Amino acid sequence: MLPDWASTAKAPFSHYLMQQSIKLRQWSLLIALILYGLFAVLDCIKFPVQMASITVPVRFSFIVLPLAALNYIFWFRVPNSISDFKNSLLLVYFFVGCIHSLIYALAVSHNLVFSQLGLVLILVFGCLLTALPIKPAGWVTVVILAIFGATNLFLDRMSLDMVIAILIIASVAVLLLLINHACQQVLRENFQLIKQLYRDTIRDSLTQLYNKRFFDTQVDNLLLLMGREHIPVSLVLVDVDHFKRINDKHGHRVGDHVLGCIATILQRYCRRPNDYAFRIGGDEFAILFYGISKDKLISVCEEMRSRVMEISLDDDSNTAESPQVSIGACVTEKTSHYTNAELFEAADNSLYKAKAQGRNICLIESA
């Protein structure tokens, strides 16, 4: 079994970012919905009936109802990616900012006091709490502040104090976007560390082939796939003949060189999505092929065996000696069911027979 975070490492960063920020989005959307519901109630209390008859329907139509829909989605139909419903969130953020300027203009026209704290809360919501992408959130923020500034010009309220207030609010927005960017950057670095850890967990450090842990997982996965699609699975086991003799005679550096060259040869035959090469022991390798015929498998194994014999030992012994491998393989029947252990045992028996018949040969059997 691979660790739980393996699925995280295999997913794109947008999915990981959603996993890390979903609670923040959920609670920020819920609190925003509650607050705007309260603001609508306060409009009925504080504003004249004529003004409230405009602000309340506008709040409900463009803010409360979309927020209610987004709350339902993010609480009960959680998206996979941070990009899902990105445009909906940006649109709500835009509407909230624009409606703030509208209600501010109505309040000023009725000589009512209207706090700018609401605009700051809107910027906190759009620039930080919803974890929106930085550039789109930044552009929407610029538009919101531009509309607010234009509203003050239209109302002839663009005094020095108002200019300073807008600059301060803009500075807060920039700070929030920088915090958002820094948080996403930290998460991106963490994600890269998780991916590196996952690679180290499933890869052999010497050959960079997949390791025994990943081998067990992929055998199970391909056998399940075979049961659904009725396509045969082939397991090839490759064992280096007299590898200890190579190490003892030529040194471990040459031994490692041989293993690396064999790994390169095996990897060349794994071009399709469900074909994998593994190092499962010191001098033992394995290949999983999905949907290959027995005749084709025989040809591939013989070709691999021949190519291994072309490897140079790359030392100063001036010997014509070359490494050799024994190969045992098995091919499943399309309509049969196999376990991991049964498939491995069948291939291992073929490998044992190949070694018993003199080594440096290939033996392929049906599982």
Side-chain angles (χ1 to χ4, degrees):
M1 289 289 291
L2 290 173
D4 291 339
W5 43 261
S7 57
T8 298
K10 290 186 284 186
F13 175 67
S14 60
H15 289 211
Y16 174 72
L17 187 56
M18 174 58 82
Q19 292 173 6
Q20 300 303 308
S21 63
I22 183 61
K23 288 298 179 185
L24 183 64
R25 272 195 175 180
Q26 287 173 336
W27 286 106
S28 63
L29 285 168
L30 182 59
I31 292 171
L33 177 61
I34 294 171
L35 285 176
Y36 274 94
L38 291 174
F39 290 159
V41 173
L42 289 175
D43 286 357
C44 297
I45 297 172
K46 290 179 58 179
F47 293 161
V49 175
Q50 183 181 5
M51 181 177 168
S53 64
I54 297 174
T55 62
V56 172
V58 167
R59 283 191 192 273
F60 267 95
S61 300
F62 292 95
I63 302 176
V64 175
L65 291 179
L67 280 175
L70 287 171
N71 268 280
Y72 173 77
I73 291 168
F74 279 90
W75 281 97
F76 302 105
R77 297 286 187 271
V78 180
N80 291 321
S81 170
I82 198 73
S83 301
D84 294 342
F85 299 99
K86 175 191 71 176
N87 292 335
S88 298
L89 286 166
L90 287 168
L91 198 59
V92 169
Y93 177 37
F94 172 74
F95 282 149
V96 171
C98 292
I99 290 169
H100 174 87
S101 294
L102 170 66
I103 298 175
Y104 168 70
L106 290 172
V108 171
S109 65
H110 286 78
N111 295 318
L112 297 172
V113 176
F114 192 77
S115 173
Q116 301 310 322
L117 178 61
L119 183 57
V120 175
L121 292 176
I122 292 168
L123 296 179
V124 172
F125 172 82
C127 296
L128 182 62
L129 296 182
T130 49
L132 285 166
I134 307 303
K135 287 185 179 178
W139 281 113
V140 173
T141 301
V142 169
V143 173
I144 289 172
L145 292 176
I147 291 172
F148 181 69
T151 301
N152 279 280
L153 281 173
F154 177 76
L155 297 172
D156 198 23
R157 293 178 62 87
M158 191 58 81
S159 63
L160 179 61
D161 289 343
M162 181 56 70
V163 171
I164 293 173
I166 292 174
L167 289 175
I168 292 173
I169 292 171
S171 300
V172 170
V174 171
L175 179 61
L176 292 169
L177 288 169
L178 289 174
I179 294 172
N180 186 2
H181 175 73
C183 291
Q184 292 193 27
Q185 191 63 33
V186 170
L187 289 174
R188 187 178 293 276
E189 291 171 2
N190 290 345
F191 181 68
Q192 293 303 321
L193 289 174
I194 290 173
K195 289 183 74 71
Q196 182 61 50
L197 180 59
Y198 175 66
R199 282 193 292 268
D200 293 344
T201 302
I202 65 172
R203 295 279 185 178
D204 171 63
S205 59
L206 175 64
T207 63
Q208 293 306 303
L209 296 182
Y210 292 113
N211 60 19
K212 183 64 166 60
R213 177 198 291 262
F214 194 68
F215 170 77
D216 291 333
T217 300
Q218 290 309 112
V219 171
D220 291 336
N221 291 342
L222 286 186
L223 289 177
L224 287 173
L225 193 61
M226 182 195 77
R228 292 195 300 268
E229 300 182 350
H230 303 294
I231 294 176
V233 173
S234 301
L235 173 59
V236 179
L237 296 181
V238 180
D239 189 85
V240 184
D241 295 332
H242 305 297
F243 183 68
K244 185 176 185 302
R245 184 189 303 170
I246 295 175
N247 267 338
D248 292 344
K249 183 176 180 180
H250 302 279
H252 288 282
R253 182 185 66 82
V254 174
D256 289 348
H257 167 72
V258 169
L259 294 176
C261 290
I262 292 174
T264 300
I265 291 170
L266 301 186
Q267 187 62 57
R268 287 175 186 161
Y269 292 90
C270 299
R271 300 187 183 96
R272 301 178 306 169
N274 286 321
D275 295 342
Y276 301 90
F278 309 86
R279 184 188 180 195
I280 58 174
D283 58 350
E284 298 174 73
F285 299 86
I287 300 181
L288 279 172
F289 290 116
Y290 187 67
I292 187 173
S293 67
K294 187 173 180 179
D295 291 341
K296 178 65 175 176
L297 184 62
I298 293 171
S299 173
V300 167
C301 289
E302 285 292 347
E303 196 174 313
M304 288 190 295
R305 186 186 64 82
S306 299
R307 289 196 174 187
V308 169
M309 294 178 65
E310 297 172 1
I311 296 173
S312 169
L313 292 182
D314 193 27
D315 68 345
D316 300 324
S317 59
N318 296 319
T319 178
E321 181 182 2
S322 61
Q324 298 175 346
V325 293
S326 297
I327 299 176
C330 67
V331 183
T332 63
E333 298 292 337
K334 296 180 182 180
T335 57
S336 300
H337 297 280
Y338 302 86
T339 65
N340 188 324
E342 289 170 344
L343 184 65
F344 188 86
E345 183 180 3
D348 196 43
N349 287 338
S350 296
L351 178 61
Y352 178 80
K353 292 176 184 177
K355 285 185 170 293
Q357 293 178 23
R359 303 175 190 270
N360 192 29
I361 63 172
C362 302
L363 185 60
I364 290 86
E365 298 179 335
S366 297

